Amino acid sequence: TFDPASATYTGDNQTPTVTVKDGDNTLTAGKDYTVAWSETPNAAGTYTATVTYIGDYSGTKTAEFTISKDEVATTNVTIEGWTYGETAKTPVADGIGASTATFEYAKKGADTTKAENWSATAPTEAGEYIVRATIAGTDNYVAKTGTAEFTIDQREVQITWSETSQAYTGATLVPTATITNLVGSDACGLTLSDGVTDAGSGTVTVVGLDNPNYKLPSTAPSTTFTVTKATENTVSVSLDDWTYGSTSVPTPDVSATFHAENEPVVKYAK
């Protein structure tokens, strides 16, 4: 028998103590037998001990001793998050063999048991993700993996306002809001709160964006928007002549540009 019966790789020589018995009688090494190893037990693997009987005993017997790969070494991985549009951060693994680690990424919440949900390319869209580090197995160590979660934050937009004062037209009016701080050729639409219809002032606010990679500042951008009174009403009128005593009097043709609630009033004078 061997003591210990087996071992796990440590990097040290791990030749076990060999005990040989004849029934209940424990034999003495060097007097009753000798032991020869196929090689010194050190690396993970199986080794053969050959017992050769001597003295009052004769014959040989073999037994195998196993050193298992190390399963204790752990793989930890860390990574910092970043903001959409920034350069991806590099994950860092530690543990034995970490310098050979490979990294894969998956969307948080995806079925990570499916290979197709993992990619060797770092994500670029805003969201929550998982990075997995894998250290390949070696002759003495089993393959190990470790995971960490990280977030790509939404990028905060900036809003500039223009046309914050417009003349009354009868329609609901809004100022022009322009988004800046976008990445590359990105497009990002926005939604404004209700505008102003009648002459006067009101507050117009950006209430939403249509690109999930971006977010509004913590205080929603807003501006005071003014609708001024229409500067000019134009009226033109035409009327055909008629003959005294005619029973058919032509109707004046009036063309006007002003709010519909102010219907034109036609009067006549000498």
mmCIF file of all heavy atoms in Angstrom, residues 17-71:
data_model
loop_
_atom_site.group_PDB
_atom_site.id
_atom_site.type_symbol
_atom_site.label_atom_id
_atom_site.label_comp_id
_atom_site.label_asym_id
_atom_site.label_seq_id
_atom_site.Cartn_x
_atom_site.Cartn_y
_atom_site.Cartn_z
ATOM 1 N N THR A 17 5.173 6.658 1.019
ATOM 2 C CA THR A 17 5.721 5.568 1.826
ATOM 3 C C THR A 17 5.092 4.254 1.367
ATOM 4 O O THR A 17 3.871 4.167 1.202
ATOM 5 C CB THR A 17 5.430 5.783 3.318
ATOM 6 O OG1 THR A 17 6.039 7.015 3.724
ATOM 7 C CG2 THR A 17 5.965 4.634 4.157
ATOM 8 N N VAL A 18 5.930 3.257 1.115
ATOM 9 C CA VAL A 18 5.440 1.958 0.644
ATOM 10 C C VAL A 18 5.426 0.970 1.815
ATOM 11 O O VAL A 18 6.420 0.831 2.538
ATOM 12 C CB VAL A 18 6.327 1.408 -0.488
ATOM 13 C CG1 VAL A 18 5.835 0.035 -0.935
ATOM 14 C CG2 VAL A 18 6.353 2.389 -1.655
ATOM 15 N N THR A 19 4.304 0.321 2.006
ATOM 16 C CA THR A 19 4.178 -0.726 3.029
ATOM 17 C C THR A 19 3.858 -2.047 2.340
ATOM 18 O O THR A 19 2.929 -2.128 1.532
ATOM 19 C CB THR A 19 3.061 -0.380 4.041
ATOM 20 O OG1 THR A 19 3.385 0.857 4.682
ATOM 21 C CG2 THR A 19 2.935 -1.485 5.083
ATOM 22 N N VAL A 20 4.660 -3.072 2.667
ATOM 23 C CA VAL A 20 4.459 -4.405 2.085
ATOM 24 C C VAL A 20 4.176 -5.376 3.222
ATOM 25 O O VAL A 20 4.896 -5.401 4.231
ATOM 26 C CB VAL A 20 5.697 -4.859 1.283
ATOM 27 C CG1 VAL A 20 5.479 -6.252 0.699
ATOM 28 C CG2 VAL A 20 6.016 -3.845 0.172
ATOM 29 N N LYS A 21 3.126 -6.182 3.068
ATOM 30 C CA LYS A 21 2.746 -7.125 4.121
ATOM 31 C C LYS A 21 2.671 -8.551 3.587
ATOM 32 O O LYS A 21 2.356 -8.775 2.422
ATOM 33 C CB LYS A 21 1.396 -6.723 4.717
ATOM 34 C CG LYS A 21 1.434 -5.479 5.579
ATOM 35 C CD LYS A 21 0.098 -5.270 6.288
ATOM 36 C CE LYS A 21 0.159 -4.106 7.251
ATOM 37 N NZ LYS A 21 -1.113 -3.946 7.994
ATOM 38 N N ASP A 22 2.903 -9.429 4.495
ATOM 39 C CA ASP A 22 2.666 -10.851 4.255
ATOM 40 C C ASP A 22 1.591 -11.249 5.252
ATOM 41 O O ASP A 22 1.876 -11.542 6.413
ATOM 42 C CB ASP A 22 3.948 -11.654 4.470
ATOM 43 C CG ASP A 22 3.719 -13.165 4.275
ATOM 44 O OD1 ASP A 22 2.645 -13.530 3.746
ATOM 45 O OD2 ASP A 22 4.610 -13.927 4.659
ATOM 46 N N GLY A 23 0.337 -11.179 4.789
ATOM 47 C CA GLY A 23 -0.763 -11.364 5.728
ATOM 48 C C GLY A 23 -0.804 -10.176 6.661
ATOM 49 O O GLY A 23 -0.852 -9.018 6.233
ATOM 50 N N ASP A 24 -0.764 -10.460 7.970
ATOM 51 C CA ASP A 24 -0.739 -9.377 8.949
ATOM 52 C C ASP A 24 0.680 -8.942 9.278
ATOM 53 O O ASP A 24 0.884 -8.007 10.065
ATOM 54 C CB ASP A 24 -1.441 -9.827 10.246
ATOM 55 C CG ASP A 24 -2.936 -10.038 10.038
ATOM 56 O OD1 ASP A 24 -3.489 -9.370 9.130
ATOM 57 O OD2 ASP A 24 -3.527 -10.855 10.758
ATOM 58 N N ASN A 25 1.657 -9.620 8.721
ATOM 59 C CA ASN A 25 3.058 -9.343 9.026
ATOM 60 C C ASN A 25 3.595 -8.286 8.073
ATOM 61 O O ASN A 25 3.562 -8.446 6.864
ATOM 62 C CB ASN A 25 3.875 -10.630 8.907
ATOM 63 C CG ASN A 25 5.338 -10.404 9.260
ATOM 64 O OD1 ASN A 25 5.642 -9.646 10.160
ATOM 65 N ND2 ASN A 25 6.226 -11.089 8.537
ATOM 66 N N THR A 26 4.087 -7.169 8.629
ATOM 67 C CA THR A 26 4.672 -6.114 7.819
ATOM 68 C C THR A 26 6.126 -6.434 7.543
ATOM 69 O O THR A 26 6.918 -6.642 8.471
ATOM 70 C CB THR A 26 4.571 -4.742 8.542
ATOM 71 O OG1 THR A 26 3.191 -4.447 8.795
ATOM 72 C CG2 THR A 26 5.183 -3.656 7.690
ATOM 73 N N LEU A 27 6.459 -6.482 6.256
ATOM 74 C CA LEU A 27 7.819 -6.815 5.857
ATOM 75 C C LEU A 27 8.735 -5.598 6.004
ATOM 76 O O LEU A 27 8.282 -4.447 6.075
ATOM 77 C CB LEU A 27 7.837 -7.315 4.425
ATOM 78 C CG LEU A 27 6.938 -8.536 4.109
ATOM 79 C CD1 LEU A 27 7.163 -9.012 2.683
ATOM 80 C CD2 LEU A 27 7.162 -9.661 5.106
ATOM 81 N N THR A 28 10.046 -5.874 6.015
ATOM 82 C CA THR A 28 11.036 -4.827 6.216
ATOM 83 C C THR A 28 11.743 -4.525 4.906
ATOM 84 O O THR A 28 12.277 -5.427 4.240
ATOM 85 C CB THR A 28 12.079 -5.254 7.258
ATOM 86 O OG1 THR A 28 11.398 -5.575 8.488
ATOM 87 C CG2 THR A 28 13.101 -4.176 7.491
ATOM 88 N N ALA A 29 11.721 -3.218 4.533
ATOM 89 C CA ALA A 29 12.407 -2.807 3.313
ATOM 90 C C ALA A 29 13.897 -3.041 3.468
ATOM 91 O O ALA A 29 14.486 -2.816 4.526
ATOM 92 C CB ALA A 29 12.132 -1.328 3.037
ATOM 93 N N GLY A 30 14.552 -3.518 2.405
ATOM 94 C CA GLY A 30 15.985 -3.792 2.432
ATOM 95 C C GLY A 30 16.321 -5.160 2.942
ATOM 96 O O GLY A 30 17.405 -5.690 2.661
ATOM 97 N N LYS A 31 15.433 -5.773 3.718
ATOM 98 C CA LYS A 31 15.634 -7.135 4.228
ATOM 99 C C LYS A 31 14.743 -8.105 3.471
ATOM 100 O O LYS A 31 15.187 -9.190 3.068
ATOM 101 C CB LYS A 31 15.319 -7.196 5.712
ATOM 102 C CG LYS A 31 15.384 -8.621 6.284
ATOM 103 C CD LYS A 31 14.916 -8.638 7.738
ATOM 104 C CE LYS A 31 14.878 -10.078 8.264
ATOM 105 N NZ LYS A 31 14.349 -10.169 9.642
ATOM 106 N N ASP A 32 13.454 -7.680 3.304
ATOM 107 C CA ASP A 32 12.494 -8.577 2.678
ATOM 108 C C ASP A 32 12.163 -8.158 1.242
ATOM 109 O O ASP A 32 11.643 -8.953 0.461
ATOM 110 C CB ASP A 32 11.204 -8.618 3.493
ATOM 111 C CG ASP A 32 11.438 -9.110 4.919
ATOM 112 O OD1 ASP A 32 12.225 -10.063 5.081
ATOM 113 O OD2 ASP A 32 10.822 -8.537 5.836
ATOM 114 N N TYR A 33 12.436 -6.883 0.928
ATOM 115 C CA TYR A 33 12.072 -6.422 -0.416
ATOM 116 C C TYR A 33 12.807 -5.106 -0.719
ATOM 117 O O TYR A 33 13.342 -4.433 0.187
ATOM 118 C CB TYR A 33 10.556 -6.184 -0.544
ATOM 119 C CG TYR A 33 10.052 -5.048 0.322
ATOM 120 C CD1 TYR A 33 9.982 -3.744 -0.175
ATOM 121 C CD2 TYR A 33 9.646 -5.268 1.637
ATOM 122 C CE1 TYR A 33 9.530 -2.700 0.612
ATOM 123 C CE2 TYR A 33 9.192 -4.246 2.432
ATOM 124 C CZ TYR A 33 9.129 -2.949 1.924
ATOM 125 O OH TYR A 33 8.690 -1.910 2.700
ATOM 126 N N THR A 34 12.818 -4.774 -1.986
ATOM 127 C CA THR A 34 13.283 -3.457 -2.422
ATOM 128 C C THR A 34 12.193 -2.848 -3.300
ATOM 129 O O THR A 34 11.338 -3.558 -3.856
ATOM 130 C CB THR A 34 14.588 -3.534 -3.226
ATOM 131 O OG1 THR A 34 14.367 -4.341 -4.389
ATOM 132 C CG2 THR A 34 15.721 -4.121 -2.393
ATOM 133 N N VAL A 35 12.216 -1.497 -3.421
ATOM 134 C CA VAL A 35 11.215 -0.784 -4.246
ATOM 135 C C VAL A 35 11.936 0.030 -5.304
ATOM 136 O O VAL A 35 12.904 0.747 -4.994
ATOM 137 C CB VAL A 35 10.341 0.151 -3.389
ATOM 138 C CG1 VAL A 35 9.352 0.902 -4.290
ATOM 139 C CG2 VAL A 35 9.596 -0.638 -2.328
ATOM 140 N N ALA A 36 11.503 -0.095 -6.537
ATOM 141 C CA ALA A 36 12.026 0.728 -7.635
ATOM 142 C C ALA A 36 10.859 1.435 -8.323
ATOM 143 O O ALA A 36 9.833 0.807 -8.617
ATOM 144 C CB ALA A 36 12.785 -0.145 -8.623
ATOM 145 N N TRP A 37 11.015 2.744 -8.549
ATOM 146 C CA TRP A 37 9.968 3.532 -9.201
ATOM 147 C C TRP A 37 10.295 3.713 -10.678
ATOM 148 O O TRP A 37 11.446 3.829 -11.075
ATOM 149 C CB TRP A 37 9.841 4.909 -8.547
ATOM 150 C CG TRP A 37 9.213 4.855 -7.180
ATOM 151 C CD1 TRP A 37 9.841 4.748 -5.989
ATOM 152 C CD2 TRP A 37 7.818 4.874 -6.911
ATOM 153 N NE1 TRP A 37 8.952 4.697 -4.958
ATOM 154 C CE2 TRP A 37 7.673 4.783 -5.505
ATOM 155 C CE3 TRP A 37 6.661 4.951 -7.684
ATOM 156 C CZ2 TRP A 37 6.441 4.780 -4.872
ATOM 157 C CZ3 TRP A 37 5.433 4.952 -7.060
ATOM 158 C CH2 TRP A 37 5.324 4.866 -5.668
ATOM 159 N N SER A 38 9.241 3.752 -11.490
ATOM 160 C CA SER A 38 9.430 4.005 -12.922
ATOM 161 C C SER A 38 10.101 5.358 -13.121
ATOM 162 O O SER A 38 10.910 5.538 -14.027
ATOM 163 C CB SER A 38 8.085 3.952 -13.652
ATOM 164 O OG SER A 38 7.138 4.830 -13.063
ATOM 165 N N GLU A 39 9.748 6.315 -12.284
ATOM 166 C CA GLU A 39 10.420 7.610 -12.187
ATOM 167 C C GLU A 39 9.929 8.273 -10.907
ATOM 168 O O GLU A 39 8.914 7.872 -10.329
ATOM 169 C CB GLU A 39 10.151 8.499 -13.397
ATOM 170 C CG GLU A 39 8.682 8.821 -13.643
ATOM 171 C CD GLU A 39 8.486 9.673 -14.881
ATOM 172 O OE1 GLU A 39 9.010 10.811 -14.901
ATOM 173 O OE2 GLU A 39 7.824 9.206 -15.828
ATOM 174 N N THR A 40 10.652 9.290 -10.460
ATOM 175 C CA THR A 40 10.260 9.937 -9.208
ATOM 176 C C THR A 40 8.923 10.633 -9.370
ATOM 177 O O THR A 40 8.753 11.469 -10.265
ATOM 178 C CB THR A 40 11.325 10.969 -8.780
ATOM 179 O OG1 THR A 40 12.577 10.298 -8.627
ATOM 180 C CG2 THR A 40 10.932 11.632 -7.468
ATOM 181 N N PRO A 41 7.935 10.324 -8.513
ATOM 182 C CA PRO A 41 6.620 10.976 -8.615
ATOM 183 C C PRO A 41 6.729 12.479 -8.331
ATOM 184 O O PRO A 41 7.093 12.891 -7.235
ATOM 185 C CB PRO A 41 5.785 10.269 -7.544
ATOM 186 C CG PRO A 41 6.474 8.950 -7.341
ATOM 187 C CD PRO A 41 7.930 9.258 -7.502
ATOM 188 N N ASN A 42 6.433 13.291 -9.363
ATOM 189 C CA ASN A 42 6.512 14.744 -9.215
ATOM 190 C C ASN A 42 5.389 15.408 -9.990
ATOM 191 O O ASN A 42 4.539 16.081 -9.422
ATOM 192 C CB ASN A 42 7.883 15.246 -9.700
ATOM 193 C CG ASN A 42 8.012 16.752 -9.605
ATOM 194 O OD1 ASN A 42 7.426 17.472 -10.396
ATOM 195 N ND2 ASN A 42 8.786 17.210 -8.626
ATOM 196 N N ALA A 43 5.396 15.234 -11.307
ATOM 197 C CA ALA A 43 4.355 15.833 -12.137
ATOM 198 C C ALA A 43 3.074 15.012 -12.057
ATOM 199 O O ALA A 43 3.066 13.867 -11.590
ATOM 200 C CB ALA A 43 4.839 15.917 -13.587
ATOM 201 N N ALA A 44 1.972 15.629 -12.518
ATOM 202 C CA ALA A 44 0.706 14.900 -12.560
ATOM 203 C C ALA A 44 0.840 13.705 -13.498
ATOM 204 O O ALA A 44 1.410 13.800 -14.579
ATOM 205 C CB ALA A 44 -0.407 15.821 -13.033
ATOM 206 N N GLY A 45 0.341 12.567 -13.067
ATOM 207 C CA GLY A 45 0.435 11.372 -13.880
ATOM 208 C C GLY A 45 0.403 10.124 -13.024
ATOM 209 O O GLY A 45 0.149 10.182 -11.805
ATOM 210 N N THR A 46 0.653 8.991 -13.649
ATOM 211 C CA THR A 46 0.631 7.707 -12.953
ATOM 212 C C THR A 46 2.038 7.111 -12.941
ATOM 213 O O THR A 46 2.716 7.072 -13.982
ATOM 214 C CB THR A 46 -0.343 6.742 -13.632
ATOM 215 O OG1 THR A 46 -1.659 7.301 -13.596
ATOM 216 C CG2 THR A 46 -0.367 5.400 -12.919
ATOM 217 N N TYR A 47 2.447 6.646 -11.773
ATOM 218 C CA TYR A 47 3.795 6.092 -11.593
ATOM 219 C C TYR A 47 3.690 4.647 -11.112
ATOM 220 O O TYR A 47 2.787 4.305 -10.342
ATOM 221 C CB TYR A 47 4.576 6.927 -10.575
ATOM 222 C CG TYR A 47 4.716 8.381 -11.018
ATOM 223 C CD1 TYR A 47 3.719 9.314 -10.749
ATOM 224 C CD2 TYR A 47 5.841 8.787 -11.718
ATOM 225 C CE1 TYR A 47 3.839 10.622 -11.170
ATOM 226 C CE2 TYR A 47 5.978 10.110 -12.141
ATOM 227 C CZ TYR A 47 4.960 11.034 -11.868
ATOM 228 O OH TYR A 47 5.096 12.321 -12.284
ATOM 229 N N THR A 48 4.646 3.849 -11.538
ATOM 230 C CA THR A 48 4.648 2.425 -11.183
ATOM 231 C C THR A 48 5.777 2.133 -10.196
ATOM 232 O O THR A 48 6.936 2.478 -10.433
ATOM 233 C CB THR A 48 4.819 1.538 -12.412
ATOM 234 O OG1 THR A 48 3.737 1.800 -13.322
ATOM 235 C CG2 THR A 48 4.823 0.056 -12.034
ATOM 236 N N ALA A 49 5.391 1.507 -9.077
ATOM 237 C CA ALA A 49 6.373 1.034 -8.098
ATOM 238 C C ALA A 49 6.500 -0.486 -8.257
ATOM 239 O O ALA A 49 5.497 -1.208 -8.245
ATOM 240 C CB ALA A 49 5.939 1.382 -6.684
ATOM 241 N N THR A 50 7.728 -0.950 -8.426
ATOM 242 C CA THR A 50 7.973 -2.390 -8.554
ATOM 243 C C THR A 50 8.646 -2.897 -7.277
ATOM 244 O O THR A 50 9.722 -2.413 -6.899
ATOM 245 C CB THR A 50 8.874 -2.697 -9.762
ATOM 246 O OG1 THR A 50 8.224 -2.234 -10.950
ATOM 247 C CG2 THR A 50 9.138 -4.193 -9.874
ATOM 248 N N VAL A 51 7.961 -3.782 -6.611
ATOM 249 C CA VAL A 51 8.478 -4.391 -5.373
ATOM 250 C C VAL A 51 9.145 -5.715 -5.752
ATOM 251 O O VAL A 51 8.501 -6.596 -6.345
ATOM 252 C CB VAL A 51 7.360 -4.620 -4.345
ATOM 253 C CG1 VAL A 51 7.911 -5.382 -3.129
ATOM 254 C CG2 VAL A 51 6.734 -3.301 -3.939
ATOM 255 N N THR A 52 10.433 -5.825 -5.405
ATOM 256 C CA THR A 52 11.175 -7.075 -5.648
ATOM 257 C C THR A 52 11.471 -7.725 -4.305
ATOM 258 O O THR A 52 12.110 -7.107 -3.431
ATOM 259 C CB THR A 52 12.491 -6.793 -6.388
ATOM 260 O OG1 THR A 52 12.191 -6.165 -7.647
ATOM 261 C CG2 THR A 52 13.254 -8.089 -6.647
ATOM 262 N N TYR A 53 10.966 -8.934 -4.126
ATOM 263 C CA TYR A 53 11.155 -9.637 -2.846
ATOM 264 C C TYR A 53 12.574 -10.211 -2.772
ATOM 265 O O TYR A 53 13.111 -10.720 -3.770
ATOM 266 C CB TYR A 53 10.116 -10.738 -2.672
ATOM 267 C CG TYR A 53 8.710 -10.200 -2.548
ATOM 268 C CD1 TYR A 53 7.845 -10.168 -3.651
ATOM 269 C CD2 TYR A 53 8.252 -9.734 -1.319
ATOM 270 C CE1 TYR A 53 6.566 -9.673 -3.520
ATOM 271 C CE2 TYR A 53 6.969 -9.234 -1.194
ATOM 272 C CZ TYR A 53 6.133 -9.209 -2.295
ATOM 273 O OH TYR A 53 4.868 -8.700 -2.169
ATOM 274 N N ILE A 54 13.131 -10.144 -1.554
ATOM 275 C CA ILE A 54 14.483 -10.687 -1.324
ATOM 276 C C ILE A 54 14.497 -11.465 -0.005
ATOM 277 O O ILE A 54 13.494 -11.505 0.708
ATOM 278 C CB ILE A 54 15.540 -9.560 -1.294
ATOM 279 C CG1 ILE A 54 15.202 -8.551 -0.165
ATOM 280 C CG2 ILE A 54 15.639 -8.852 -2.643
ATOM 281 C CD1 ILE A 54 16.231 -7.452 -0.010
ATOM 282 N N GLY A 55 15.642 -12.011 0.314
ATOM 283 C CA GLY A 55 15.746 -12.753 1.570
ATOM 284 C C GLY A 55 14.903 -13.998 1.538
ATOM 285 O O GLY A 55 15.054 -14.852 0.664
ATOM 286 N N ASP A 56 14.022 -14.110 2.507
ATOM 287 C CA ASP A 56 13.149 -15.279 2.610
ATOM 288 C C ASP A 56 11.985 -15.221 1.619
ATOM 289 O O ASP A 56 11.149 -16.134 1.597
ATOM 290 C CB ASP A 56 12.592 -15.397 4.036
ATOM 291 C CG ASP A 56 13.688 -15.685 5.054
ATOM 292 O OD1 ASP A 56 14.728 -16.246 4.638
ATOM 293 O OD2 ASP A 56 13.502 -15.316 6.221
ATOM 294 N N TYR A 57 11.913 -14.121 0.828
ATOM 295 C CA TYR A 57 10.790 -13.961 -0.103
ATOM 296 C C TYR A 57 11.344 -13.868 -1.523
ATOM 297 O O TYR A 57 12.504 -13.479 -1.742
ATOM 298 C CB TYR A 57 9.994 -12.699 0.224
ATOM 299 C CG TYR A 57 9.352 -12.731 1.590
ATOM 300 C CD1 TYR A 57 10.044 -12.259 2.713
ATOM 301 C CD2 TYR A 57 8.064 -13.253 1.761
ATOM 302 C CE1 TYR A 57 9.449 -12.295 3.971
ATOM 303 C CE2 TYR A 57 7.481 -13.304 3.022
ATOM 304 C CZ TYR A 57 8.164 -12.813 4.110
ATOM 305 O OH TYR A 57 7.581 -12.848 5.355
ATOM 306 N N SER A 58 10.514 -14.192 -2.465
ATOM 307 C CA SER A 58 10.932 -14.098 -3.862
ATOM 308 C C SER A 58 9.753 -13.633 -4.701
ATOM 309 O O SER A 58 8.583 -13.745 -4.308
ATOM 310 C CB SER A 58 11.448 -15.446 -4.368
ATOM 311 O OG SER A 58 10.407 -16.429 -4.341
ATOM 312 N N GLY A 59 10.113 -13.115 -5.879
ATOM 313 C CA GLY A 59 9.072 -12.647 -6.793
ATOM 314 C C GLY A 59 9.031 -11.125 -6.869
ATOM 315 O O GLY A 59 9.788 -10.421 -6.207
ATOM 316 N N THR A 60 8.131 -10.624 -7.674
ATOM 317 C CA THR A 60 7.929 -9.167 -7.821
ATOM 318 C C THR A 60 6.442 -8.846 -7.833
ATOM 319 O O THR A 60 5.603 -9.715 -8.118
ATOM 320 C CB THR A 60 8.558 -8.645 -9.137
ATOM 321 O OG1 THR A 60 7.926 -9.292 -10.238
ATOM 322 C CG2 THR A 60 10.063 -8.882 -9.162
ATOM 323 N N LYS A 61 6.175 -7.611 -7.543
ATOM 324 C CA LYS A 61 4.803 -7.130 -7.584
ATOM 325 C C LYS A 61 4.835 -5.644 -7.939
ATOM 326 O O LYS A 61 5.743 -4.922 -7.523
ATOM 327 C CB LYS A 61 4.113 -7.340 -6.231
ATOM 328 C CG LYS A 61 2.623 -7.007 -6.257
ATOM 329 C CD LYS A 61 1.957 -7.361 -4.934
ATOM 330 C CE LYS A 61 0.470 -7.111 -4.997
ATOM 331 N NZ LYS A 61 -0.216 -7.469 -3.739
ATOM 332 N N THR A 62 3.854 -5.183 -8.730
ATOM 333 C CA THR A 62 3.798 -3.765 -9.116
ATOM 334 C C THR A 62 2.521 -3.123 -8.583
ATOM 335 O O THR A 62 1.498 -3.798 -8.384
ATOM 336 C CB THR A 62 3.853 -3.599 -10.643
ATOM 337 O OG1 THR A 62 2.740 -4.278 -11.231
ATOM 338 C CG2 THR A 62 5.165 -4.130 -11.204
ATOM 339 N N ALA A 63 2.600 -1.841 -8.371
ATOM 340 C CA ALA A 63 1.435 -1.043 -7.953
ATOM 341 C C ALA A 63 1.576 0.358 -8.554
ATOM 342 O O ALA A 63 2.695 0.841 -8.789
ATOM 343 C CB ALA A 63 1.345 -0.980 -6.438
ATOM 344 N N GLU A 64 0.415 1.002 -8.809
ATOM 345 C CA GLU A 64 0.428 2.331 -9.427
ATOM 346 C C GLU A 64 0.042 3.407 -8.424
ATOM 347 O O GLU A 64 -0.865 3.229 -7.600
ATOM 348 C CB GLU A 64 -0.519 2.372 -10.627
ATOM 349 C CG GLU A 64 -0.050 1.516 -11.782
ATOM 350 C CD GLU A 64 -0.962 1.633 -12.986
ATOM 351 O OE1 GLU A 64 -2.137 2.045 -12.815
ATOM 352 O OE2 GLU A 64 -0.516 1.310 -14.109
ATOM 353 N N PHE A 65 0.751 4.511 -8.531
ATOM 354 C CA PHE A 65 0.506 5.678 -7.670
ATOM 355 C C PHE A 65 0.186 6.866 -8.582
ATOM 356 O O PHE A 65 0.900 7.117 -9.557
ATOM 357 C CB PHE A 65 1.740 5.964 -6.818
ATOM 358 C CG PHE A 65 1.636 7.212 -5.980
ATOM 359 C CD1 PHE A 65 0.826 7.249 -4.862
ATOM 360 C CD2 PHE A 65 2.346 8.367 -6.321
ATOM 361 C CE1 PHE A 65 0.729 8.395 -4.078
ATOM 362 C CE2 PHE A 65 2.260 9.511 -5.545
ATOM 363 C CZ PHE A 65 1.448 9.530 -4.420
ATOM 364 N N THR A 66 -0.886 7.602 -8.264
ATOM 365 C CA THR A 66 -1.354 8.682 -9.149
ATOM 366 C C THR A 66 -1.228 10.047 -8.489
ATOM 367 O O THR A 66 -1.635 10.229 -7.325
ATOM 368 C CB THR A 66 -2.819 8.467 -9.556
ATOM 369 O OG1 THR A 66 -2.914 7.218 -10.254
ATOM 370 C CG2 THR A 66 -3.320 9.591 -10.451
ATOM 371 N N ILE A 67 -0.683 10.995 -9.239
ATOM 372 C CA ILE A 67 -0.693 12.405 -8.845
ATOM 373 C C ILE A 67 -1.677 13.114 -9.782
ATOM 374 O O ILE A 67 -1.493 13.111 -11.004
ATOM 375 C CB ILE A 67 0.700 13.050 -8.958
ATOM 376 C CG1 ILE A 67 1.669 12.378 -7.988
ATOM 377 C CG2 ILE A 67 0.627 14.543 -8.680
ATOM 378 C CD1 ILE A 67 3.082 12.938 -8.046
ATOM 379 N N SER A 68 -2.704 13.684 -9.204
ATOM 380 C CA SER A 68 -3.736 14.355 -10.003
ATOM 381 C C SER A 68 -3.314 15.787 -10.328
ATOM 382 O O SER A 68 -2.516 16.406 -9.622
ATOM 383 C CB SER A 68 -5.068 14.390 -9.242
ATOM 384 O OG SER A 68 -5.503 13.080 -8.948
ATOM 385 N N LYS A 69 -3.905 16.325 -11.405
ATOM 386 C CA LYS A 69 -3.679 17.729 -11.726
ATOM 387 C C LYS A 69 -4.228 18.604 -10.612
ATOM 388 O O LYS A 69 -5.206 18.246 -9.937
ATOM 389 C CB LYS A 69 -4.363 18.095 -13.044
ATOM 390 C CG LYS A 69 -3.754 17.435 -14.262
ATOM 391 C CD LYS A 69 -4.452 17.916 -15.530
ATOM 392 C CE LYS A 69 -3.834 17.289 -16.774
ATOM 393 N NZ LYS A 69 -4.469 17.796 -18.016
ATOM 394 N N ASP A 70 -3.600 19.754 -10.418
ATOM 395 C CA ASP A 70 -4.028 20.678 -9.359
ATOM 396 C C ASP A 70 -5.370 21.298 -9.730
ATOM 397 O O ASP A 70 -5.538 21.864 -10.804
ATOM 398 C CB ASP A 70 -2.970 21.772 -9.173
ATOM 399 C CG ASP A 70 -3.315 22.701 -8.026
ATOM 400 O OD1 ASP A 70 -4.198 22.357 -7.215
ATOM 401 O OD2 ASP A 70 -2.696 23.774 -7.935
ATOM 402 N N GLU A 71 -6.325 21.187 -8.828
ATOM 403 C CA GLU A 71 -7.632 21.812 -9.010
ATOM 404 C C GLU A 71 -7.866 22.903 -7.982
ATOM 405 O O GLU A 71 -8.973 23.413 -7.848
ATOM 406 C CB GLU A 71 -8.740 20.756 -8.895
ATOM 407 C CG GLU A 71 -8.669 19.697 -9.970
ATOM 408 C CD GLU A 71 -9.827 18.719 -9.899
ATOM 409 O OE1 GLU A 71 -10.655 18.875 -8.980
ATOM 410 O OE2 GLU A 71 -9.898 17.819 -10.740
#
